[in-house]
Amino acid sequence: MTYCLKGALPESERNMNNLIRVAAEEGFDLEVYYPDLSDGDKDVLKLAESARKLADQCGVKIFALGLGARIGDVDPDLAAQNMKELKLNLEVADILGAGVVSFAAIDSQPVPPDQPGAQFGMHFDRALPYMVEQMQELADEAAGHNLDTALLNHCFLIYLGIHQHWVSLLTDRPNAGSCVDPGNYLYYTYGSADPVRETKLCTKHVKMVRAGDWVVAPDHEIVEGYRSAPERQGSVFNCSGAILGQGSVDHEKCFKALAEAGYDGFVSLKVAGTSAAGPMEAVRTSMSNLSNMIARSEEHTSELQSHSFIS
């Protein structure tokens, strides 16, 4: 994914043309993150055409687009504004030649102050009608572009497999489902969820997969960090990025579960971790490990298909 790959480049070189050229040099295909493509007030559709042309020249397949807006807002004006941006993103994905778009829900569900429960927020089941309606609208629009839509476990409203399962099931569109990110199941539950179990909960509706490993810090390190950084009190950050296969997430078991369920789509590397040899070496090592994991999953089921990333 471009989100991951750009971290391996000097800040002055983090533009779409360089990302595509580096992907070509490394033999990667790409998931483009929409904010990495957009550039101020420039016409994003023309930027997409330029990126597609260069990708074709370099032999890089852009297989997915990570969208820049989210679903789930209760406020109708905000929901309409986000949907307008999401639909523009679909046009961009079509131009890029992508087959699937991934997107998140909002991080927490606010309630308008004049409605009951405003002081507490909204439970997941009460938020479902808003998310399902918006996901249906997005999926129907995406069908006109031959695109699948994939809801990420990437917020504090949708962070478990069961959340993705119910939104996908109730949306009830053949091109609507989940983008499974096993590492996020761990990240958003402060290291407590089992990524394999959560992956298995939503295998019926998977449209895309992201991979990124995390190391869960022991309690004493979290306590020490909490007390030594008063400005961050109230938040407990206990996961740090790791080379894929060297962290706390058993991605291989997750891939096998997906393959057994019939998934044969893309896997995008989102987090590469760190390496003493530099950030690009971290990407290369994580990509190599990802390919090996998928190869072993293929041997296990002959189903899971490997594609290079970029998130």
Side-chain angles (χ1 to χ4, degrees):
M1 184 179 193
T2 51
Y3 177 83
C4 175
L5 188 58
K6 71 180 180 181
L9 301 182
E11 191 168 350
S12 62
E13 298 178 13
R14 294 175 185 175
N15 59 64
M16 186 53 56
N17 285 352
N18 282 337
L19 288 168
I20 291 172
R21 291 190 180 101
V22 171
E25 292 169 2
E26 298 292 335
F28 300 154
D29 289 328
L30 294 177
E31 177 194 355
V32 170
Y33 183 41
Y34 180 84
D36 292 335
L37 175 67
S38 59
D39 186 4
D41 295 331
K42 293 182 180 179
D43 186 335
V44 71
L45 299 181
K46 291 183 178 179
L47 292 173
E49 290 172 357
S50 177
R52 173 67 183 275
K53 182 178 180 180
L54 179 60
D56 287 346
Q57 291 172 348
C58 294
V60 173
K61 167 66 177 174
I62 298 175
F63 60 81
L65 178 70
L67 305 189
R70 301 185 178 214
I71 65 166
D73 268 299
V74 172
D75 183 285
D77 292 334
L78 287 176
Q81 180 180 328
N82 286 338
M83 186 58 62
K84 181 179 179 180
E85 183 176 349
L86 288 166
K87 288 181 178 179
L88 174 62
N89 286 190
L90 295 179
E91 293 185 58
V92 170
D94 196 353
I95 291 170
L96 292 173
V100 59
V101 294
S102 61
F103 55 95
I106 61 174
D107 262 315
S108 59
Q109 189 63 38
V111 180
D114 60 342
Q115 292 189 15
Q119 69 271 37
F120 301 114
M122 184 178 289
H123 293 171
F124 167 74
D125 59 332
R126 298 291 181 88
L128 266 172
Y130 300 96
M131 288 187 289
V132 168
E133 181 181 5
Q134 292 169 31
M135 195 157 164
Q136 287 174 333
E137 182 177 351
L138 185 65
D140 290 343
E141 183 79 12
H145 297 281
N146 296 313
L147 289 164
D148 284 336
T149 57
L151 176 64
L152 278 157
N153 52 311
H154 187 75
C155 64
F156 288 102
L157 184 64
I158 305 292
Y159 59 90
L160 295 173
I162 197 64
H163 295 147
Q164 293 170 289
H165 167 77
W166 280 112
V167 176
S168 299
L169 184 65
L170 293 172
T171 297
D172 193 26
R173 296 291 191 273
N175 67 327
S178 304
C179 179
V180 170
D181 185 334
N184 270 4
Y185 294 131
L186 199 71
Y187 182 93
Y188 281 99
T189 60
Y190 304 102
S192 63
D194 176 1
V196 179
R197 176 183 180 276
E198 298 304 324
T199 296
K200 289 180 177 179
L201 287 172
C202 56
T203 52
K204 292 181 180 179
H205 311 284
V206 179
K207 298 297 184 182
M208 186 178 157
V209 177
R210 282 187 183 168
D213 217 340
W214 300 96
V215 173
V216 179
D219 287 357
H220 73 272
E221 288 186 9
I222 298 169
V223 171
E224 182 180 343
Y226 180 89
R227 291 173 176 168
S228 64
E231 72 278 4
R232 294 198 58 190
Q233 287 188 8
S235 70
V236 178
F237 182 77
N238 65 335
C239 292
S240 55
I243 296 288
L244 194 72
Q246 297 180 13
S248 305
V249 183
D250 194 336
H251 279 90
E252 190 161 336
K253 281 188 178 179
C254 294
F255 295 158
K256 287 180 179 179
L258 289 163
E260 288 169 358
Y263 180 71
D264 63 352
F266 301 105
V267 181
S268 172
L269 182 65
K270 181 183 109 175
V271 175
T274 59
S275 169
M280 183 55 73
E281 191 57 34
V283 172
R284 294 183 184 118
T285 302
S286 286
M287 279 299 296
S288 176
N289 291 348
L290 175 59
S291 297
N292 290 335
M293 289 179 190
I294 293 175
R296 288 191 291 268
S297 296
E298 288 177 333
E299 292 173 2
H300 180 65
T301 62
S302 300
E303 288 293 334
L304 193 60
Q305 177 183 356
S306 175
H307 282 271
S308 298
F309 82 133
I310 241 195
S311 188

